[in-house]
């Protein structure tokens, strides 16, 4: 996975992310992206355990431990995370950049546009920091 590779995402995955984001607003929603290679196969919506969930997110660590455990026993891999920006910022915030691990993870950010329609942007957290990823939507 690098920033030149387009992500493959199922339409059901995108629908689950935007539904979680809409439902959590004005708090940030978050969760774990599961898949293989550049393909996001499913999403695990988790609790946002941040002390300030309207401005920050923190994936429930117990859910993350469980997801990694499942991956080790042959399940889909943890390839990244999603969270939402109810304020409409459709890119990583300064806080996100500061917490970047530069570990090659995929970050998906859900944000509403000026009409209130939620959409997503995809990012690669690589050695150079966040770079925009293109994505293809597959059916189902
Ligand atoms: Zn953010």
């Amino acid at each position: 996975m690098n920033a030149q590779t387009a992500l493959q995402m199922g339409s059901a995955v995108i629908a689950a992310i935007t539904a979680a984001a809409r439902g959590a607003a004005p708090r940030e929603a978050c969760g774990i992206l599961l898949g293989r290679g550049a393909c996001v196969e499913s999403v695990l919506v988790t609790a946002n355990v941040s002390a300030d969930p309207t401005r920050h997110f923190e994936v429930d660590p117990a859910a993350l431990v469980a997801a990694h455990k499942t991956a080790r026993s042959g399940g889909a891999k943890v390839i990244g995370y999603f969270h939402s920006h109810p304020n409409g910022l459709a890119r990583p915030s300064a806080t996100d950049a500061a917490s970047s691990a530069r570990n090659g993870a995929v970050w998906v950010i859900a944000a509403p546009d000026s009409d209130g329609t939620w959409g997503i942007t995809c990012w690669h957290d690589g050695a150079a920091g966040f770079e925009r990823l293109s994505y293809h939507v597959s059916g189902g």
Side-chain angles (χ1 to χ4, degrees), residues 30-93:
C30 61
I32 301 165
L33 305 175
L34 300 169
R36 285 163 219 274
C39 181
V40 182
E41 294 173 350
S42 62
V43 59
L44 186 63
V45 178
T46 76
N48 177 358
V49 299
S50 168
D52 187 4
T54 60
R55 296 177 54 231
H56 299 292
F57 81 99
E58 189 179 336
V59 168
D60 178 0
L64 196 53
V65 167
H68 280 293
K69 191 175 281 183
T70 303
R72 278 196 302 275
S73 57
K77 303 264 176 280
V78 175
I79 61 172
Y81 314 94
F82 88 90
H83 73 287
S84 63
H85 287 164
N87 65 4
L89 183 71
R91 56 181 167 77
S93 68

Side-chain angles (χ1 to χ4, degrees), residues 92-111:
S93 68
T95 307
D96 295 333
S99 63
S100 154
R102 305 195 172 199
N103 58 358
V106 172
W107 284 48
V108 170
I109 294 175

